[in-house]
Amino acid sequence: MPFYDYSLASGLLCGILFGYILESAGFGSACKLTAQFRFSDWAVLKVMFTAIVVAAIGLYALSATGVIAYPDIYVPPAYLGGAAIGGLLIGAGFAVGGYCPGTAASAFGSGRLDGLVFMIGMVVGVGLFAAGYDTFGSWVTLGAIQTSRLPELLGISEPVLLALFALLAAVIFWLGSRVERKLGGALTAEALDAR
């Protein structure tokens, strides 16, 4: 697949591959995802944190070796207020419905009708937001931050920040594994199939 192909086919292929990986990891099950909110299965947080740390270290390595230049990467402005409101809304939807947009599509693709119901609700929510944009649109840009990257914002060198992220990930893995064991262990594929 060409790296700079923005066609519909390229996006569809990436979406199918991503959905396959989500389903293979058990993330197409609302039981697995809501277990994170009950602290009985920390797989979602572990995967997300791993992705953040790996991507951050990979970008740093590519920049340090001259493969990419940070100024060539577009970083959209950060809107903390809008992110907080949106985060609360999607978090509430995630906790109640058991899916995020990607996992809902994965669930529906694997035959779960609750994934379809969640996707319909998501489309209705997007439609309501679009219809009320004149009223709610200004909330999207609340709390704008002009600094483009976290090291400059925090005044910390990038290697130190990456080390802190890796340390935080290790602490979350350790803590999550202890809590999982205390609450009966993470959901396995067999347990998900039995539900």
Side-chain angles (χ1 to χ4, degrees), residues 14-26 106:
C14 288
I16 290 172
L17 290 174
F18 185 59
Y20 175 77
I21 292 169
L22 286 175
E23 181 62 27
S24 298
S106 173

Side-chain angles (χ1 to χ4, degrees), residues 108-188:
F108 178 57
S110 60
R112 294 186 181 91
L113 291 181
D114 57 342
L116 174 62
V117 171
F118 192 89
M119 289 175 66
I120 291 171
M122 183 174 58
V123 170
V124 170
V126 168
L128 289 173
F129 177 77
Y133 189 79
D134 290 340
T135 304
F136 308 115
S138 61
W139 297 2
V140 173
T141 55
L142 287 174
I145 292 181
Q146 299 304 320
T147 304
S148 61
R149 299 183 57 240
L150 204 52
E152 289 85 26
L153 178 67
L154 299 176
I156 301 174
S157 75
E158 195 162 355
V160 171
L161 188 60
L162 292 174
L164 289 174
F165 266 123
L167 178 63
L168 182 60
V171 169
I172 287 174
F173 272 62
W174 173 79
L175 177 65
S177 297
R178 286 182 63 91
V179 174
E180 281 175 349
R181 280 195 297 273
K182 199 169 223 172
L183 296 176
L187 289 172
T188 62

Side-chain angles (χ1 to χ4, degrees), residues 33-58:
L33 300 174
T34 54
Q36 177 66 67
F37 292 97
R38 295 190 307 271
F39 302 112
S40 61
D41 189 328
W42 289 52
V44 174
L45 191 59
K46 290 176 182 176
V47 166
M48 294 299 177
F49 229 101
T50 299
I52 291 169
V53 170
V54 169
I57 292 174

